[in-house]
């Protein structure tokens, strides 16, 4: 599994940017997340695309320009998540805990729906608990997919280690001969 953090768009020091620069940076992040979710429609790139998309979204919700995401970019992101959701849910049935294969992307969709809104607009339309649930489900989806990838990698590369341990165990269970010095 590639390091997803290295694939995220560079986030400049937000304190040094103007409001319009922050908005443009956040818009670019939202577009990158949409691109990642769209790329995830390819079965071979699904895991990487979803990981990149959710990682970018988690960074985006902390970005000061989040309210400046354009409606067109927000719509593009929502559409990408909606298109991916049934395919992702089908592929990951039984592989992720609980119904995270559904609720993780639903959380991403919920976050995408508040992009481009001010804090006041968001809190007046969405209860804080629900917003935190969206965020938690997206973060949990990221962690679960990373764990699944790690487990898969361990399983694939673990065969030689398991064979070595089995051989050591077999040697230890052999009757030991008596040696006389």
């Amino acid at each position: 599994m590639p390091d997803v953090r290295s694939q995220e768009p560079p986030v400049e020091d937000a304190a040094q940017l103007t409001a319009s620069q922050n908005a443009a940076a956040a818009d670019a992040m939202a577009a990158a997340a949409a691109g990642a979710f769209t790329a995830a429609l390819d079965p071979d790139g699904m895991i990487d695309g979803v990981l990149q998309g959710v990682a970018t979204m988690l960074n985006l919700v902390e970005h000061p320009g989040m309210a400046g995401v354009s409606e067109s970019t927000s719509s593009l992101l929502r559409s990408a998540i909606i298109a991916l959701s049934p395919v992702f849910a089908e592929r990951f049935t039984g592989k992720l805990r609980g119904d995270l294969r559904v609720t993780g992307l639903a959380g991403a969709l919920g976050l995408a729906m508040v992009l481009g809104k001010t804090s006041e607009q968001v809190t007046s339309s969405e209860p804080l608990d629900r917003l935190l649930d969206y965020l938690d489900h997206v973060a949990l989806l990221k962690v679960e997919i990373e764990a699944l990838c790690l487990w898969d990698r361990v399983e694939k590369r673990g065969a030689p280690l398991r064979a070595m341990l089995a051989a050591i165990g077999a040697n230890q269970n052999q009757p030991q001969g008596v040696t006389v010095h």
Side-chain angles (χ1 to χ4, degrees), residues 30-45:
F37 287 129
T38 300
L41 287 168
D42 174 16
D44 293 333

Side-chain angles (χ1 to χ4, degrees), residues 30-41 45-46 48-54 56 80 84:
F37 287 129
T38 300
L41 287 168
M46 185 175 287
D48 292 337
V50 171
L51 277 175
Q52 185 177 0
V54 296
T56 302
L84 175 63

Side-chain angles (χ1 to χ4, degrees), residues 23 26-28 30-32 34-35 67-80 112 115-117:
D27 202 69
V69 173
S70 69
E71 176 54 37
S72 62
T73 304
S74 180
S75 177
L76 179 69
L77 178 56
R78 291 189 306 266
S79 296
L115 294 178
K117 296 180 180 178

Side-chain angles (χ1 to χ4, degrees), residues 5-31:
R5 291 172 295 199
S6 65
Q7 297 175 5
E8 295 170 9
V11 179
E12 300 161 26
D13 185 8
Q16 296 178 3
L17 299 177
T18 66
S20 63
Q21 288 171 321
N22 273 326
D27 202 69
M29 290 173 73

Side-chain angles (χ1 to χ4, degrees), residues 88 96-105 137 140-141 144:
F88 181 81
L96 298 174
R97 273 191 271 188
D99 59 353
L100 191 57
R101 69 193 198 304
V102 175
T103 61
L105 288 181
H137 280 92
L140 188 56
L141 177 62
E144 282 283 318

Side-chain angles (χ1 to χ4, degrees), residues 152-169:
D152 187 51
R153 196 167 60 229
V154 166
E155 285 293 313
K156 287 178 183 171
R157 290 193 282 180
L161 179 60
R162 285 189 293 279
M164 179 186 75
L165 290 173
I168 290 171

Side-chain angles (χ1 to χ4, degrees), residues 115-171:
L115 294 178
K117 296 180 180 178
T118 65
S119 297
E120 295 78 24
Q121 290 170 322
V122 171
T123 54
S124 70
S125 65
E126 293 283 343
L128 181 59
D129 288 349
R130 186 177 306 149
L131 292 170
L132 293 175
D133 283 345
Y134 294 158
L135 187 59
D136 289 346
H137 280 92
V138 172
L140 188 56
L141 177 62
K142 181 179 182 286
V143 169
E144 282 283 318
I145 292 175
E146 288 171 340
L148 183 66
C149 290
L150 181 60
W151 183 254
D152 187 51
R153 196 167 60 229
V154 166
E155 285 293 313
K156 287 178 183 171
R157 290 193 282 180
L161 179 60
R162 285 189 293 279
M164 179 186 75
L165 290 173
I168 290 171
N171 287 337

